[in-house]
Amino acid sequence: MSVRRLAKEQPESFAFSKESQAKADWWKAKYPAARKQSAVIPMLWLAQKQEGWVQEPAIQEIARQLEMPVIRVLEVATFYVMFQLAPVGKTAFVQLCGTTPCQLRGALDLRSVLEKKIGPAHSVSADGKFSWEEVECLGACCNAPMAAINDYYYEDLTPESLAQILDDFAAGKAPQPGSYEGRKSSEPKDKIQTLTDPKLYDGSAAKKIKIPNLPEKPKKTKAEPAA
Amino acid sequence: MAIAKVNGVEVEFEPGMTVLQVAELAGEEIPRFCYHERLSIAGNCRMCLVEVKPGPPKPQASCALPAAEGQEIFTNTPMVKKAREGVMEFLLINHPLDCPICDQGGECDLQDQAVGYGRDDSRYDENKRAVEEKAMGPLIKTVMTRCIQCTRCVRFITEVAGSPEIGLISRGEDVEITTYLGAAVTSELSANVIDLCPVGALTSKPYAFEARPWELKKTESIDVMDALGSSIRVDGRANAVLRVLPRINEDVNEEWISDKTRYAVDGLQRQRLDRPYVRVDGKLKPATWAEAFAAVSAKIKATAPERIGVIAGDLQDAESLKATKDLFTALGVKNLDARQDGVALGAGPRESWLFNSTIAGIEDADVVLFVGTNPRLEAPVLNARFRKQWIAGKTRFGVIGEQADLTFDYDYLGAGAKTLSGLAKAKNDFVAAFKAAERPAIIIGQGAIARADGAAILKAAAGLAKTFKVVREGWNGWNVLHTAAARVAGLDLGFVPAEGGLAAGDMLKPGALDVLFLLGADECESAASDAFKIYLGTHGDAGAHKADVILPGAAYTEKNGLYVNTEGRVQMGKRAVFPKGEAKEDWSILRALSETLGHKLPYDSLDQLRAKLFADHPTFGQIDFAPGSVPTVFDLAAVGGEGEATDAPFESPVKAFHLTNPIARASVTMAECAANVSAASKIAAE
């Protein structure tokens, strides 16, 4: 993470599109009128969805709509790294995971692919279509190395598959998200080597446990014999 | 009352107090950076760690931990010392070692506490972080690398000043204090963040690299920039006032002062009248005191008393007002006025021109009605109290007059006299609340009564106050908010036209007078008068420009003087430096002049003058006593005068907050602030 600043070049104005404004209004309506500032994160997110990044006029607009000081919106926008404060690639914005598991599994090689095909991190390619950045753990370590491209995870990547994905994006295709090693999700890659004992699954290995503090079962009492 | 033990000593405390406060009750000093009594608790500096039993076996941040019955608090155990040393070491990792070139040096919390908890050297080999400087306007200088992110400035500007312009952006190691995209802070109380900053991150821009605190002579005095009479400390070196800082005075300014109070003092070095002048052939020529006195007395002796008038200005001390009144009354002059703005006060009981609820007492009011005042500009420190009440949800506010941003919400009722007189019969939420209020207060500004129909408006306001029982047993909610530091003293002295005398407005009409004596009066249209004008004052401002004789006086930092604030509290200002050049203290000029006029004033020293003042006007002898602190019921029927009120909207007399008096108008810093504000309002208008 580095010092986060708003981009130097900013558009003149920002306005929510009709759809995003409707969504924004839905978020605002979720909270009591006096607490509508609570919608600041969803609204920043909507502004980012609409324009690709959070623009300075959007910060002003959100502050205006939520009747909160503009510095408070800026605080939130700069706090969360998920808010992009500078333009990103229009076709594909790659967030490459560079944390330890991914790095051990070859994230550094993926980085050189990105550097070669797109350019240095945090800069948009000349055609405006691509940009990339390295992020901290995205929580898909089982499928390392991985990258999030736009809204989806692309997992089990190799330099070749990542290059292919980028080429596909450049060609206007929509590459399939998910594992590029043929895995369904995060199941073991090859033969299953652990937890193979069938006893684990038929219930026989289960120990009887006593759950503490259960309410006592009502004792069956014999009906008193009639006198 | 609950009981806790601090280092083995039992202490009684109010439930709800924090461990830090309880430890202070026991006389233990707890180091802190982020905690401040008047701000919300942040708990982010961790310097106030203590050991608490019962509790987890780890140090606790005492500022954010509520004290409990039977708690044992330890502030001096080895664990506490070690924990604080650890915090200090972390704070110093990124703090630059530039104390020798830092303006905070010598009065820096971090420096002081590093003596107690710091290591002799650093174990940190990596690079220190550096932070870009931030622009915060003409008053606040930033060296952000020094910032320890205590967020006191953010909390002050958000909570107390009520203009949330400073924030903490980014996170983790990268957090930075900044305004939105480097905008200047516009609050009238902004410079208090400089005092709050525990390190040298926010320092005073006009005072940058001027002096070290131990070189300065500190004089405890009273401010004259508005009618609150805030307690200040004037720091001077040789014969220059270098800065003004607030003193804690719970009854008046708590511990804040306005930017004008703090920074107008550079005006004390500029545009000063440092020798007498006499107009010869249409041009002001430097003269000796003897020549000036000769010119004045020749003119006055040759003029009939009814053709002589005296107008006193807004910054005068009570002694000079008294000496002036004594001298000119002895000459038979009836045209005396201390109300250069023509405010319709001065007749009737003393309570009618005071802020009777008292400045601290106004916090008890449950409904407050502002009439023709913008307290944010007229008394920013008082406005912070209103905001405090509003945040606590204790008070409801209503406004008749300008619809300005007061930093708190209010019911806007109307613009002028029509609303005021119709309010008793009006049906709305606010009126219902005002009627039901236990301690209702009316605050009347000069904007409502310093005009031609002021007397009628005052009467209407008094009628309203009577209807709503604003003055009742045990509570006096009749409050006049003055804008001039000298006004209440002038009214208390009876520095108003005697029977048959002319008021200030009439004196200034062409042909009304032959001699006009201006005692520091710069805010009246003295240029309109064609009389022979004598100006006794400090600055080459409006009054001096058209004067025929100039007698150089002493500014408020250059004389001992009594000032009466808007609540009627008499306070003593002290001399910090000597008057400039040949200038003299005002009362001694008048004493000398009286001799050449053949009506020698009966006092040879300030003490004798004060003795006479106290004898003639006993209220001046009650130093630091606010008459409203003992609520008195007075007859509201005697307030105000006859006349027809026009429906012109009430306008606050303070249009440009930074430029209200000759000292502020001579100040470069104030000019910059004023330019900043007008630029900001221009942008807002677009």
Side-chain angles (χ1 to χ4, degrees), chain B residues 1 27 67 75 98 137 158 168 220 273 277 327 424 447 471 494 519 534 567 617 661:
Chain B
M1 293 289 257
T75 66
D98 61 353
T158 309
L168 184 75
E220 303 201 332
L273 304 171
Y277 289 87
L327 172 60
V471 181
L519 181 66
I534 304 149
E567 51 179 350
H617 307 277
N661 62 51

Side-chain angles (χ1 to χ4, degrees), chain A residues 70-91:
Chain A
V70 65
I71 184 83
R72 294 283 104 80
V73 186
L74 181 72
E75 283 176 345
V76 174
T78 53
F79 185 90
Y80 293 105
V81 284
M82 69 182 186
F83 293 124
Q84 299 300 325
L85 301 180
V88 296
K90 285 213 166 60
T91 311

Side-chain angles (χ1 to χ4, degrees), chain B residues 245-308:
Chain B
L245 296 176
R247 278 189 292 137
I248 294 179
N249 184 346
E250 296 296 340
D251 292 330
V252 180
N253 56 318
E254 297 175 284
E255 63 178 281
W256 320 123
I257 52 174
S258 73
D259 291 353
K260 185 162 54 176
T261 300
R262 191 185 297 263
Y263 285 124
V265 287
D266 66 335
L268 292 168
Q269 312 286 6
R270 292 166 194 278
Q271 295 277 89
R272 286 305 296 271
L273 304 171
D274 56 357
R275 58 169 74 171
Y277 289 87
V278 176
R279 195 175 289 273
V280 182
D281 303 328
K283 279 204 164 154
L284 281 168
K285 292 256 163 66
T288 62
W289 276 107
E291 288 163 3
F293 282 151
V296 172
S297 59
K299 191 73 192 174
I300 288 180
K301 277 179 185 163
T303 312
E306 52 271 21
R307 301 288 293 169
I308 300 174

Side-chain angles (χ1 to χ4, degrees), chain A residues 33-54:
Chain A
R35 297 275 182 278
K36 63 179 165 189
Q37 299 97 300
S38 302
V40 65
I41 290 178
M43 281 183 75
L44 280 165
W45 189 245
L46 283 169
Q48 172 161 316
K49 276 267 154 219
Q50 185 182 314
E51 301 294 331
W53 57 293
V54 176

Side-chain angles (χ1 to χ4, degrees), chain A residues 9-207:
Chain A
E9 280 172 36
Q10 294 282 352
E12 282 288 302
S13 62
F14 169 88
F16 280 109
S17 67
K18 219 170 159 192
E19 299 83 57
S20 8
Q21 185 62 56
K23 282 183 192 159
D25 292 340
W26 181 85
W27 279 104
K28 277 190 272 177
K30 238 182 113 164
Y31 303 105
R35 297 275 182 278
K36 63 179 165 189
Q37 299 97 300
S38 302
V40 65
I41 290 178
M43 281 183 75
L44 280 165
W45 189 245
L46 283 169
Q48 172 161 316
K49 276 267 154 219
Q50 185 182 314
E51 301 294 331
W53 57 293
V54 176
Q55 302 169 340
E56 192 270 330
I59 291 178
Q60 300 261 15
E61 170 66 13
I62 291 166
R64 191 188 64 77
Q65 286 201 19
L66 298 179
E67 291 171 29
M68 61 195 284
V70 65
I71 184 83
R72 294 283 104 80
V73 186
L74 181 72
E75 283 176 345
V76 174
T78 53
F79 185 90
Y80 293 105
V81 284
M82 69 182 186
F83 293 124
Q84 299 300 325
L85 301 180
V88 296
K90 285 213 166 60
T91 311
F93 170 50
V94 184
Q95 289 177 302
L96 174 72
C97 176
T99 309
T100 319
C102 282
Q103 206 178 71
L104 291 171
R105 297 280 296 150
L108 290 175
D109 299 336
L110 300 184
R111 189 158 81 183
S112 41
V113 171
L114 291 169
E115 271 166 355
K116 212 171 85 196
K117 289 197 93 84
I118 299 174
H122 301 288
S123 63
V124 184
S125 60
D127 56 4
K129 283 183 170 171
F130 290 92
S131 70
W132 73 278
E133 67 174 5
E134 190 179 314
V135 295
E136 298 307 324
C137 185
L138 291 175
C141 312
C142 287
N143 299 69
M146 60 79 66
I149 305 181
N150 299 339
D151 289 338
Y152 294 100
Y153 279 10
Y154 293 77
E155 299 159 336
D156 300 327
L157 297 174
T158 57
E160 294 75 34
S161 57
L162 179 62
Q164 185 58 47
I165 290 166
L166 292 177
D167 290 342
D168 284 356
F169 269 113
K173 289 186 234 168
Q176 187 66 33
S179 169
Y180 272 67
E181 230 172 34
R183 286 202 275 170
K184 259 197 169 133
S185 62
S186 55
E187 76 277 13
K189 193 178 144 198
D190 308 312
K191 206 173 129 253
I192 294 171
Q193 290 174 356
T194 56
L195 305 175
T196 48
D197 190 349
K199 270 202 281 183
L200 285 171
Y201 306 101
D202 62 9
S204 57
K207 254 191 241 164

Side-chain angles (χ1 to χ4, degrees), chain B residues 99-405:
Chain B
C99 305
I101 55 152
C102 175
D103 260 330
Q104 193 85 353
E107 48 187 6
C108 174
D109 291 357
L110 187 62
Q111 217 175 22
D112 294 349
Q113 293 176 32
V115 172
Y117 299 99
R119 291 169 56 91
D120 58 345
D121 62 349
S122 175
R123 295 188 285 183
Y124 191 68
D125 287 335
E126 283 74 17
N127 286 331
K128 289 188 178 223
R129 106 184 170 130
V131 184
E132 286 167 32
E133 299 316 352
K134 303 287 183 289
M136 286 199 184
L139 302 179
I140 305 167
K141 178 174 182 262
T142 66
V143 183
M144 280 319 198
T145 304
R146 295 177 189 149
C147 178
I148 59 168
Q149 291 91 38
C150 69
T151 68
R152 273 187 189 180
C153 52
V154 179
R155 283 175 283 146
F156 173 82
I157 216 84
T158 309
E159 294 161 13
V160 179
S163 58
E165 294 166 319
I166 303 181
L168 184 75
I169 64 162
S170 248
R171 66 164 155 171
E173 198 199 2
D174 301 313
V175 288
E176 296 179 347
I177 295 285
T178 183
T179 54
Y180 188 72
L181 306 183
V185 186
T186 56
S187 165
E188 293 78 19
L189 294 168
S190 67
N192 288 301
V193 299
I194 297 166
D195 291 343
L196 287 172
C197 185
V199 296
L202 306 178
T203 52
S204 169
K205 207 176 236 180
Y207 174 71
F209 308 129
E210 286 282 338
R212 284 301 193 185
W214 56 85
E215 301 173 298
L216 301 170
K217 192 180 131 220
K218 290 130 188 142
T219 313
E220 303 201 332
S221 189
I222 296 299
D223 172 51
V224 298
M225 295 293 148
D226 55 37
L228 285 191
S230 301
S231 294
I232 55 170
R233 195 185 89 192
V234 180
D235 284 5
R237 188 179 55 188
N239 210 19
V241 173
L242 293 183
R243 64 173 178 177
V244 165
L245 296 176
R247 278 189 292 137
I248 294 179
N249 184 346
E250 296 296 340
D251 292 330
V252 180
N253 56 318
E254 297 175 284
E255 63 178 281
W256 320 123
I257 52 174
S258 73
D259 291 353
K260 185 162 54 176
T261 300
R262 191 185 297 263
Y263 285 124
V265 287
D266 66 335
L268 292 168
Q269 312 286 6
R270 292 166 194 278
Q271 295 277 89
R272 286 305 296 271
L273 304 171
D274 56 357
R275 58 169 74 171
Y277 289 87
V278 176
R279 195 175 289 273
V280 182
D281 303 328
K283 279 204 164 154
L284 281 168
K285 292 256 163 66
T288 62
W289 276 107
E291 288 163 3
F293 282 151
V296 172
S297 59
K299 191 73 192 174
I300 288 180
K301 277 179 185 163
T303 312
E306 52 271 21
R307 301 288 293 169
I308 300 174
V310 184
I311 299 178
D314 291 350
L315 307 182
Q316 289 303 317
D317 53 314
E319 289 89 339
S320 68
L321 291 168
K322 171 72 178 155
T324 310
K325 188 180 174 227
D326 284 355
L327 172 60
F328 283 91
T329 313
L331 291 169
V333 175
K334 289 178 178 170
N335 311 320
L336 296 165
D337 208 340
R339 308 161 301 181
Q340 49 175 342
D341 55 359
V343 68
L345 294 168
R350 185 177 184 225
E351 284 85 356
S352 70
W353 60 76
L354 295 186
F355 198 93
N356 290 298
S357 302
T358 73
I359 291 166
I362 194 70
E363 286 190 23
D364 296 331
D366 42 10
V367 182
V368 175
L369 172 65
F370 296 105
V371 180
T373 178
N374 179 344
R376 182 172 173 184
L377 298 184
E378 293 170 22
V381 177
L382 178 63
N383 201 55
R385 279 198 199 254
F386 295 135
R387 182 173 160 79
K388 188 163 76 178
Q389 277 167 274
W390 176 73
I391 288 176
K394 288 195 294 191
T395 312
R396 183 163 186 172
F397 299 95
V399 168
I400 302 177
E402 283 173 68
Q403 203 165 359
D405 174 13

